[in-house]
Amino acid sequence: MKKLFGLLMVSILLVLAACGSGSGEASGGSGESETVTIGYFPNLNHAPAMVAKQKGMYEEHLGGNVNVEYQTFPDGATFMKALAAGEIEGGLVGPGPAMNSFISGVDAQIIGASSTGGTVIVSRNGSGIESWEDVEGSTFISPRVGCTHNVQFETYMKERGVTSERTGGSMTHVTGEPARYQSMFENGDVDVATAPEPWASVMEQEVDANVVIPTSEISFGETLPAAVMVTSDDMVDNNSEQVQKLVDAHKEAVNYINDNPDEAIDITIEGIADITDQQLEKSAMENAWERTNFTYEVNPDVIQEFGNSSHDLQFLKEQPDFEGFVNTSFVE
């Protein structure tokens, strides 16, 4: 009887152990999902983010336990505030806002580029401005003070002896979202726009805007990344594997754009329409595409030169030191 009771207890314990083991494996294999938020703008040079979103590239690289969300921004300063606050894990932004935030103490790193080119200086039809020599005394618009396009334009003009009122010159500077440039031209509110593509091409097509300074001539036009991929120091230090996956997805998107330009244009038109409610003509986007080079490689020396120019224009109070700012290890 005792022997039978002992065998029965052993059997019960084995069953309980098996149940416990099975329960533990199920719990360990179903870890809680986390959310990664990617930020970007409705500009052509942010096309890699739109392509990656539409094709599910971030989701594929990050894996099933990661929920990917997307957040769009009107300008770089707002984007960088969101990054500093931990509201986004990374994304695409102009090098100007990224640089300004880094100098201000925000823990951020450039981990790749998105594109070069795509900045065009255009003038309002009827303004009488046909070349840079006519710009003195005019009103120009850029997305933000000290943003990438602002620095490019003012660098070019200062080299020719023309500066803004901010530094004692004659040009009046206002700011606004690029998607609103067309209406501001139509209303006669501004004379010149520092326009990121595709908005320059849109204004050429819709309101007969004149190209004053093409991408090939504007300062840093073909060397400076028009947009860079950034993330926080915390992500690099504590979640480098996830950062690598984000960069790998971004690289896949850039390669896809270069291999499939027609489809990428359609995706970008749709992506911009979703954000701005503006359906752009494909012909305008094709023109803008010709002015843009999509690449994920970034040159730290160019970033430093751009920072030096920002300091020279008095956007920065001190000469910038970008040690630790550009991290090329993830794209190599």
Side-chain angles (χ1 to χ4, degrees), residues 141-159:
I141 187 169
S142 71
R144 295 283 288 209
V145 174
C147 72
T148 306
H149 316 291
N150 184 190
V151 173
Q152 287 182 271
F153 176 57
E154 290 204 41
T155 298
Y156 182 93
M157 294 304 298
K158 185 176 181 181
E159 290 172 351

Side-chain angles (χ1 to χ4, degrees), residues 127-143:
S127 66
I129 299 173
E130 297 183 0
S131 74
W132 70 265
E133 296 172 322
D134 305 318
V135 171
E136 189 167 5
S138 66
T139 298
F140 77 93
I141 187 169
S142 71

Side-chain angles (χ1 to χ4, degrees), residues 184-263:
M184 298 185 78
F185 266 32
E186 290 173 328
N187 295 332
D189 296 330
V190 296
D191 306 308
V192 175
T194 65
E197 288 289 14
W199 305 110
S201 293
V202 169
M203 288 190 289
E204 284 181 79
Q205 187 174 86
E206 298 295 330
V207 293
D208 294 324
N210 308 302
V211 174
V212 178
I213 309 170
T215 297
S216 58
E217 294 181 14
I218 191 68
S219 298
F220 306 103
E222 296 183 328
T223 57
L224 179 75
V228 291
M229 190 175 198
V230 301
T231 191
S232 64
D233 286 357
D234 180 65
M235 282 286 290
V236 171
D237 294 340
N238 300 313
N239 209 341
S240 61
E241 183 177 346
Q242 193 171 82
V243 173
Q244 185 64 65
K245 291 177 180 179
L246 289 172
V247 172
D248 289 344
H250 175 68
K251 290 171 66 176
E252 182 182 356
V254 170
N255 290 332
Y256 189 92
I257 287 171
N258 290 324
D259 292 339
N260 306 276
D262 287 340
E263 184 181 357

Side-chain angles (χ1 to χ4, degrees), residues 6-331:
L7 289 172
L8 180 61
M9 288 301 296
V10 169
S11 298
I12 292 172
L13 289 171
L14 287 173
V15 170
L16 289 174
C19 291
S21 174
S23 174
E25 288 176 3
S27 175
S30 59
E32 293 184 4
S33 64
E34 60 177 314
T35 297
V36 169
T37 304
I38 307 296
Y40 66 98
F41 304 179
N43 292 339
L44 181 147
N45 49 37
H46 292 237
M50 294 179 239
V51 169
K53 177 183 178 181
Q54 202 273 346
K55 294 293 182 181
M57 293 174 181
Y58 288 122
E59 289 83 352
E60 180 181 351
H61 282 270
L62 289 169
N65 281 340
V66 178
N67 176 43
V68 181
E69 295 183 353
Y70 299 88
Q71 186 173 346
T72 59
F73 295 87
D75 56 69
T78 309
F79 174 103
M80 292 306 299
K81 287 179 181 177
L83 182 70
E87 296 171 4
I88 59 175
E89 277 62 51
L92 303 183
V93 67
M99 174 188 68
N100 295 339
S101 296
F102 177 81
I103 293 170
S104 299
V106 174
D107 292 330
Q109 293 184 32
I110 291 176
I111 53 176
S114 176
S115 65
T116 59
T119 295
V120 185
I121 310 304
V122 296
S123 67
R124 175 175 51 83
N125 189 23
S127 66
I129 299 173
E130 297 183 0
S131 74
W132 70 265
E133 296 172 322
D134 305 318
V135 171
E136 189 167 5
S138 66
T139 298
F140 77 93
I141 187 169
S142 71
R144 295 283 288 209
V145 174
C147 72
T148 306
H149 316 291
N150 184 190
V151 173
Q152 287 182 271
F153 176 57
E154 290 204 41
T155 298
Y156 182 93
M157 294 304 298
K158 185 176 181 181
E159 290 172 351
R160 289 154 180 79
V162 181
T163 59
S164 70
E165 289 180 343
R166 182 181 51 80
T167 56
S170 64
M171 296 189 300
T172 301
H173 182 202
V174 298
T175 61
E177 296 178 22
R180 295 180 54 239
Y181 285 5
Q182 180 179 331
S183 64
M184 298 185 78
F185 266 32
E186 290 173 328
N187 295 332
D189 296 330
V190 296
D191 306 308
V192 175
T194 65
E197 288 289 14
W199 305 110
S201 293
V202 169
M203 288 190 289
E204 284 181 79
Q205 187 174 86
E206 298 295 330
V207 293
D208 294 324
N210 308 302
V211 174
V212 178
I213 309 170
T215 297
S216 58
E217 294 181 14
I218 191 68
S219 298
F220 306 103
E222 296 183 328
T223 57
L224 179 75
V228 291
M229 190 175 198
V230 301
T231 191
S232 64
D233 286 357
D234 180 65
M235 282 286 290
V236 171
D237 294 340
N238 300 313
N239 209 341
S240 61
E241 183 177 346
Q242 193 171 82
V243 173
Q244 185 64 65
K245 291 177 180 179
L246 289 172
V247 172
D248 289 344
H250 175 68
K251 290 171 66 176
E252 182 182 356
V254 170
N255 290 332
Y256 189 92
I257 287 171
N258 290 324
D259 292 339
N260 306 276
D262 287 340
E263 184 181 357
I265 287 173
D266 290 337
I267 292 172
T268 305
I269 290 173
E270 180 182 347
I272 291 174
D274 288 342
I275 301 166
T276 66
D277 292 326
Q278 290 182 256
Q279 188 70 35
L280 305 183
E281 294 291 336
K282 189 166 185 176
S283 57
M285 186 64 77
E286 288 172 339
N287 186 61
W289 216 262
E290 291 295 322
R291 296 167 170 166
T292 307
N293 174 46
F294 292 98
T295 178
Y296 48 77
E297 295 180 351
V298 57
N299 185 342
D301 293 338
V302 174
I303 299 295
Q304 184 64 57
E305 291 170 8
F306 183 76
N308 294 342
S309 188
S310 294
H311 173 257
D312 185 53
L313 291 167
Q314 300 178 30
F315 289 118
L316 302 177
K317 294 181 180 180
E318 299 179 359
Q319 188 75 28
D321 178 5
F322 290 140
E323 183 178 357
F325 181 41
V326 182
N327 184 344
T328 61
S329 65
F330 294 101
V331 297

